[in-house]
Amino acid sequence: MARRITLKNLRLETLLYRERAVLSAVLVAGTFILLLARLYDLQIANHSHYQTLSDDNRVRVFPVVPTRGLILDRNGETLADNTPNYQLVITPSQVKDMSALIESLAGFIDIKEHELERFKKAVKRQQSFQQTSLKLNLSDEEVAQFAVKQHRYPGVGIAAHSTRHYPQKNSFAHVLGYVGRINEKELANLDKQNYQGTSYVGKLGIEKRYEKDLHGEVGYQHVEINAQGRPLLVVKTQPSKPGMDIQLSLITRLQEVAQEALGEENGAIVAIDPNNGDVLAFVSQPNYDPNLFVNGIGQKAYSELRDSKHRPLFNRALIGQYPPGSTIKPVVALAGLHYGVTWAEKTMYAGPYFQLSGKDRRYRDWKKGGHGVVNMNSAIAQSCDVYFYQLGDELGIDRMHEFLTQFSLGNLTNLDTVGEAKGLLPSPEWKRSARGQPWYPGETIITSIGQGYMLTTPLQLAVMTAYIANHGAMYQPRFVRATRPADEVKFKDEQPRPMPKVKVDDEGYWQVIEQAMVNVVHAPNGTARGIDSDATYKIAGKTGTAQVFGIAQDEEYDKETTPKHLQDHALFIAYAPVENPMIALAVVVENGGSGSGTAAPVARKVLDAYLLGENKLQGKQVVSR
Amino acid sequence: MLVAKASLYEHPLRVIYHFLKVDTALFMALVILCMSGLVVLYSASGGDIDAIQKQLARLAIGFAGLLLFAQIPADQLRSWSLWLYVIGVALLVLVLVSGESGKGAQRWLNLGFVRFQPSELMKIWLPMMMAWYYSERVLPPSLKDIFVGFVILLVPTALIIKQPDLGTSILVAGAGLFVIFLAGIRYRVIAVFVGLLLATAPVLWFYLRDYQRGRILTLLDPERAPLGAGYHIIQSKIAIGSGGVYGRGWLNGTQSQLDFIPERSTDFIFSVFSEEFGFIGTSLLTMVYLFIVVRGLVISARAQTCYARLLGGAISLSFFSYVFVNIGMVSGMLPVVGVPLPLISYGGTSMVTLLIMFGVLMSINSHRKLLGH
């Protein structure tokens, strides 16, 4: 062929095309010969083999749905199990006139519009000889009624199925999540074979996260049929493999105590065992009954939950993002020690406000007259804002950000569930990319007392507290502490997984902030001294108050005149016993006012219940103070 | 000016065909195919007259479309190619954003008065676009033109994979590849591509969805999934094999009538046909398909413009690929990807688009100009 030319050479192109067309025709013919050879192979060479198979083809294969694994609490109490229920099932291929049949059935069985809708969709999706359920949860009366009339309805039957059931109702809604009917989107991502016959899939929480383990493996039933396709007898059964049972680290009783302690307030409590990351209590209030969702919640009930201004569906413990307020101070103090910006005994005079040099803006302390002379210990114990404004200014945002990141603030804690929120640990880089604005020095000042852009989840605060309790070490928080495969008797413990350590230059720094946190609770001027009375063990804690709305520079925040939904969130973090920490927790009471007044007493109740109460919750005697 | 071939001395039917601008042989073959399709469908649907009527209605629409497109000169189509492609891509994006689901995938678009799968339209709009692109270039295409061709091809393919609809995406991509092949891509470039494809196959595997992987594994070992795709293949092979030389007779296939064949009116209709009409039936059917493909290639080779040639060839080869993928699938040579048997399977959009494609082919045939070499 000639060298490349820029003009189209029509004649050459025609020839080129003809060459390709002829080649294509040859390839096509070759492929058809291949197909014919295949058909010859099947239809003539192996005809008798397939003829025999076809003649013997009187066996149909049906799926056997595996039993979903149980979910238990630490003491073996059931949190999720399966209860039998009766469903009305139809085999479409055996029904001549579907709409007449349904109309007739509706005479004595209450068939709702959405059930009919779902049935029609399912029929389209499945093979016509597969049973499809028209109505779930038949009443005893309906079962009896149908049993009498059954002979008039070929192709219709009653099948016993098991439905997921959550005996603890609301208490564990935000931990377990729930299962629900498989929708079209989920179907696309599921292993169709393993889910033949399965109607439910985990939608949220543990149920979703451990779907693979809980579901199990489908089994098969080979059923012989007659020439008209009616089932005669079961020839062979390959049993299904039930899902794994899962044991959570949570303690039902402690969960209840925590809920009761929170009372009618909206908020969250997360308690963790610092020795292994076990989540002991995980409360988000208000909550909902997950049983409602299993067989499809009605539109009305759902919109009630969704539209409630208290947002019961919102998992505050996991995705509620709150400014940490003063609970962040111990960690900021630790950063100050680590970077050598300050030292424990250094004193300063803390007046009523702080000013950046050369700026007018006053950063006020929560205490009107200021705290006077303070050092690190008393600044934490009394929650002195001015001390931390000063410290934050000296640290700078970059070092603060770098240090706080180690406590998994602004990052996922990787609790074994789904949808965890990251919170926000602000930095100049973040602000530039997210807001397109530069970082202002004043923002560093308020970050040091956990206000401004900073957001944390109650879960993150609990993890941070556990880090402090362990002096820099921590295990990944976890719900699941042990699993039991279907064919085994005993639960097998999961190994705790260490998280990256928090590094400080001198291990003694931990003692400094621990002592200060002990003083928060046990010193005469500690902000949480109210919960000190008759405690038989030593608590380290820190109060916090998160502003819901900004107050102008010279305005006063007045609890009496502020409407409830604009009142501050009350926060409290604590761990105990200090000598040998067994529990670390974070409490957030939405619009609760002050951390010391509202959140700290809640925390004390949970600590008591775990460390003293009944003494069965964790099985260890507590050293007294 | 048209080729003045018809004369008053010719058979009156030929005159009509000429007037309608259709190719007699091709048209007859299509009619035969569609008629046999109705016969099998009657059996496969269990004697469902309703289904037959619906299919007839689609055929009517399809043939109307065929005749309509046969009247539109290829030059006209050429000028629309770019815009149709752009609209097609926009529709595919729209499907992902607000499409309706069916069987776990989002493929349908509802325009209020009509509901259709934009991915089906792409089966013709993509080769039109690519034929237009290459007809503007010097052929054989340079590496740059091949690259651009691949971009044009991959955009809709990726959008269709996302729905997810692996079967259709393969066919759409195939249509584009055929244009590149017919445009004269050099053999050594093809060799390099095949080499690259083989090398990246493990990576592609990683991107397949679980059920798609399952289908490929099932092909290698059908027993691994006695209930899922493996069941389909096993039952389909039994149906085809038990048909023997003469078949079990119309309406007498036990595999078909007792519901052992899944999707027997749509994707697996060939199994029903094979069981009931035997090897004689299947070889005749295959011959009709082969004839249509070759006839299409001949028509394309006779066309005078580059655009018409490439488009005609791509249409013929696409049609071939549908047949091959479907028969290969039901006879257990290829994975189950959910592709209907062209002009026989029960179903709407694909039937209409296919007949429209043949309308385009007819137009290419009849709108040749008197132009000496």
Side-chain angles (χ1 to χ4, degrees), chain A residues 463-521:
Chain A
V463 169
M464 174 187 86
T465 311
Y467 260 120
I468 302 172
N470 282 341
H471 293 190
M474 178 49 187
Y475 296 93
Q476 199 171 298
R478 62 178 189 185
F479 278 138
V480 174
R481 71 188 302 270
T483 54
R484 176 173 62 189
D487 41 9
E488 280 167 38
V489 186
K490 279 197 160 161
F491 275 96
K492 201 176 132 256
D493 286 353
E494 301 275 328
Q495 283 307 310
R497 274 190 238 158
M499 291 170 89
K501 277 206 157 74
V502 175
K503 294 180 202 79
V504 292
D505 276 351
D506 183 342
E507 292 300 316
Y509 295 157
W510 292 105
Q511 302 290 348
V512 174
I513 61 160
E514 179 163 280
Q515 191 50 50
M517 286 175 72
V518 168
N519 284 0
V520 167
V521 179

Side-chain angles (χ1 to χ4, degrees), chain B residues 169-363:
Chain B
S169 70
I170 288 173
L171 298 182
V172 168
L177 291 177
F178 292 138
V179 177
I180 298 180
F181 175 75
L182 293 170
I185 179 175
R186 284 171 220 279
Y187 294 114
R188 55 171 187 273
V189 181
I190 297 178
V192 170
F193 273 120
V194 171
L196 279 178
L197 198 68
L198 289 179
T200 52
V203 182
L204 292 176
W205 178 256
F206 182 74
Y207 279 103
L208 289 179
R209 298 208 178 195
D210 272 351
Y211 75 95
Q212 292 166 340
R213 284 184 206 174
R215 283 174 180 179
I216 295 173
L217 288 177
T218 305
L219 179 77
L220 303 174
D221 177 20
E223 304 297 335
R224 131 180 207 287
L227 208 59
Y231 174 87
H232 294 190
I233 293 177
I234 292 169
Q235 295 302 337
S236 171
K237 274 161 69 179
I238 294 177
I240 297 173
S242 65
V245 180
Y246 305 104
R248 308 195 125 194
W250 189 48
L251 302 181
N252 285 330
T254 53
Q255 284 291 102
S256 320
Q257 304 305 326
L258 287 182
D259 241 340
F260 281 101
I261 301 176
E263 309 275 351
R264 55 187 179 145
S265 309
T266 52
D267 292 356
F268 282 83
I269 200 164
F270 185 79
S271 320
V272 177
F273 182 91
S274 309
E275 186 183 24
E276 299 191 344
F277 298 103
F279 185 69
I280 292 180
T282 52
S283 43
L284 281 176
L285 187 69
T286 332
M287 289 306 163
V288 176
Y289 276 125
L290 177 60
F291 173 79
I292 293 175
V293 175
V294 172
R295 181 74 195 158
L297 285 173
V298 169
I299 288 175
S300 72
R302 283 212 219 120
Q304 285 140 328
T305 67
C306 181
Y307 175 79
R309 273 199 298 265
L310 291 177
L311 182 56
I315 287 173
S316 311
L317 291 180
S318 298
F319 182 74
F320 153 72
S321 69
Y322 304 165
V323 177
F324 175 64
V325 169
N326 179 274
I327 299 184
M329 162 181 99
V330 300
S331 61
M333 297 166 78
L334 298 175
V336 176
V337 282
V339 171
L341 184 64
L343 299 181
I344 296 210
S345 284
Y346 182 74
T349 324
S350 107
M351 168 95 43
V352 176
T353 36
L354 272 170
L355 287 171
I356 286 177
M357 282 161 77
F358 283 107
V360 173
L361 207 52
M362 305 278 183
S363 148

Side-chain angles (χ1 to χ4, degrees), chain B residues 45-105:
Chain B
S45 64
D48 186 351
I49 292 295
D50 192 44
I52 300 289
Q53 281 171 346
K54 277 189 190 149
Q55 189 80 340
L56 266 173
R58 288 182 194 127
L59 279 175
I61 297 173
F63 274 99
L66 182 150
L67 291 176
L68 177 73
F69 273 77
Q71 317 308 313
I72 304 173
D75 279 350
Q76 192 69 57
L77 292 177
R78 183 171 183 270
S79 64
W80 295 342
S81 300
L82 177 61
W83 296 113
L84 289 179
Y85 175 81
V86 171
I87 292 169
V89 169
L91 288 175
L92 284 176
V93 172
L94 205 60
V95 166
L96 287 183
V97 177
S98 66
E100 288 184 8
S101 311
K103 300 197 183 187

Side-chain angles (χ1 to χ4, degrees), chain A residues 80-93:
Chain A
D81 58 6
N82 310 293
T83 54
N85 85 45
Y86 295 97
Q87 307 186 354
L88 190 69
V89 293
I90 296 182
T91 312
S93 65

